[in-house]
Amino acid sequence: MIPSIEWVDDNIKMKVKIIDQTKLPHKLEFLEFNDFRSVAKSIKVMNIRGAPAIGVAAAMGMALATIEYKELVKDKFLIKMEEAADLLRSTRPTASNLFWAINRILKIIKDFPDNPSNISDLVIEEAKIMAQEDINVNKNIGKNGASLLKDGDVVLTHCNAGSLATVQYGTALAPIRAAIEEGKNISVIADETRPRLQGARLTAYELQYDNIPVKVISDTSSGLLMMLGKVDKVIVGTDRVTSDAVFNKIGTYLVALAAMDNKIPFYVAAPTSTLSLKETIKDVIIEQRDSSEVGNILGKVKIVPNGVECLNYAFDITPFRLVSGVITEDGVFTPKELLKKYKDLH
Ligand code: MRU
C-alpha cells in the first residue's frame, strides 16, 4: 500500500497529504492540508484514522502550527502552540498515540532555547522521523508476529489495523504481511466492523491491493467460524494498552471471548507508542461518536425508526485474561511479561 500520510514540501507550500479513507474502497482520493485546524478536523471526521496514523497526523499538524506561529514572540508562540495541541488532542480521546505524538513535539518546542523563527525545521524533521519510525516499528512487529503463524493459517482480524491505520505496513496486518514475505500461505478473515465498516471497506481494500487473500464476514459471524474450526488465530490492533486491558475497536471484546471459548490464540499487535501501562481501565475515556453512525448505514440509509435512540461507543475493553500475547516491535509477550518489560516506559 501507498503511505496513508506524508509530509509534502513542493517549494511553494508545506503540506500534509493523506488518503481520504472515507472514500475507500471505491475511490482512492487524497486530501492536502496546510493548516493544523484542517488536520484536526480530518482526524475527527476520520478521513484519517487508526491510532498510529492519527499520532503522525497530529505531529504533522503541530509542524504546520509552528510555520503559522513562528514569527510570534516566544511567550505568545508557546501559548498558541498549546492551543494547537489542545485542539488536536480534543479530536479523539481513546488512542494513546495521539497524546504521545503531541507531547513528543511539545517537548521539542519547550526545550528549544532559541527564537521561535528557527523552530519549524526541527519540528518538521521530527514529524518526518516519527512517520519513518512508524514504518520501521511495524516491520519489526511483522517479523516478531510472523513467528506465531504457520503455513496455511487463517487469521481473523477486527477493524483495520493495517497500512491505512498506520503510515504504512500496519500493526495487526504486519505479521500476516511478513509471514507471506517469508513464503507462508496465509489468508485473512476480516470482520466488517460496524458501524464505520473499517474491516469491509479498508482491510479488504488494502489486502486485495496487495494480493493477500481476504474474505469479509458480518461481525456476528466470527464466533460461529471459530466454532467450525475455520479460524486458526486472531490478531487485532489496539488504541491503548493499560496495565489491565487492551482498548480496541468496538466488538473486539466479543471476538476475544469467542476465541477463548474456542481455544484460539488471541494476539494484540501494539507498537510501544500505544502502551499506557501506568494507567488502568478507569483512566481511559471511551470515545462516543454521533449516534447517527449506528442509525444509518454510512450516513446514507436510515435503518432505525424515527425517534429511536442509538448508542455509539467506538471502542471496547478486552481484559488481559483474554489476551494470549502482545506483539510489539521488541518481541511477543504475555500480558504479565509485557508489564515487566515496559514497567519504566511513559
Ligand atoms: O476508529 P478507528 O478506525 O480509528 O479505530 C481503529 C482501530 O480500532 C484500530 O484497531 C487501532 O487504532 C489500531 S491501528 C494500528
Side-chain angles (χ1 to χ4, degrees), residues 134-156:
D134 176 70
I135 301 172
N136 300 345
V137 160
N138 296 340
K139 291 265 168 86
N140 285 328
I141 289 175
K143 274 195 209 112
N144 296 331
S147 63
L148 302 166
L149 300 180
K150 61 178 194 341
D151 193 34
D153 270 354
V154 178
V155 180
L156 183 138

Side-chain angles (χ1 to χ4, degrees), residues 109-182:
I109 290 168
K110 285 178 185 158
D111 290 350
F112 192 65
D114 213 356
N115 190 302
S117 59
N118 300 323
I119 204 171
S120 278
D121 288 350
L122 202 63
V123 174
I124 292 167
E125 204 40 48
E126 186 72 5
K128 286 195 207 161
I129 289 171
M130 288 163 79
Q132 187 53 51
E133 268 178 21
D134 176 70
I135 301 172
N136 300 345
V137 160
N138 296 340
K139 291 265 168 86
N140 285 328
I141 289 175
K143 274 195 209 112
N144 296 331
S147 63
L148 302 166
L149 300 180
K150 61 178 194 341
D151 193 34
D153 270 354
V154 178
V155 180
L156 183 138
T157 191
H158 189 73
C159 193
N160 172 263
S163 182
L164 289 161
T166 59
V167 177
Q168 233 172 348
Y169 208 73
T171 59
L173 298 191
I176 294 160
R177 291 179 185 281
I180 291 172
E181 284 159 24
E182 287 170 8

Side-chain angles (χ1 to χ4, degrees), residues 241-295:
V241 183
T242 57
S243 61
D244 42 4
V246 169
F247 290 72
N248 191 47
K249 179 54 53 197
I250 192 82
T252 303
Y253 173 49
L254 296 179
V255 174
L257 282 172
M260 172 68 88
D261 196 41
N262 289 283
K263 301 189 173 38
I264 292 168
F266 178 91
Y267 296 110
V268 177
T272 49
S273 53
T274 305
L275 304 182
S276 289
L277 300 178
K278 297 202 167 40
E279 292 180 317
T280 62
I281 290 172
K282 63 177 177 16
D283 297 316
V284 183
I285 299 172
I286 295 195
E287 179 182 5
Q288 289 190 61
R289 297 186 61 84
D290 198 297
S291 65
S292 64
E293 290 182 351
V294 172

Side-chain angles (χ1 to χ4, degrees), residues 46 48-52 54 92 95 158-162 165-166 170-172 198 202 236-239 248-250 269 271 287 289 314-315:
M46 295 172 66
I48 184 161
R49 33 65 54 200
I54 63 177
R92 299 198 72 188
H158 189 73
C159 193
N160 172 263
T166 59
T171 59
Q198 290 94 329
L202 308 177
V236 297
T238 173
D239 286 77
N248 191 47
K249 179 54 53 197
I250 192 82
E287 179 182 5
R289 297 186 61 84
F315 300 96

Side-chain angles (χ1 to χ4, degrees), residues 1 7 14-15 24 84 121 201 230 279 286 297 328 331:
M1 273 296 300
W7 182 266
M14 311 264 200
K15 290 178 285 205
L24 291 173
D121 288 350
R201 295 190 304 107
K230 293 186 185 299
E279 292 180 317
I286 295 195
I297 302 287
T328 76

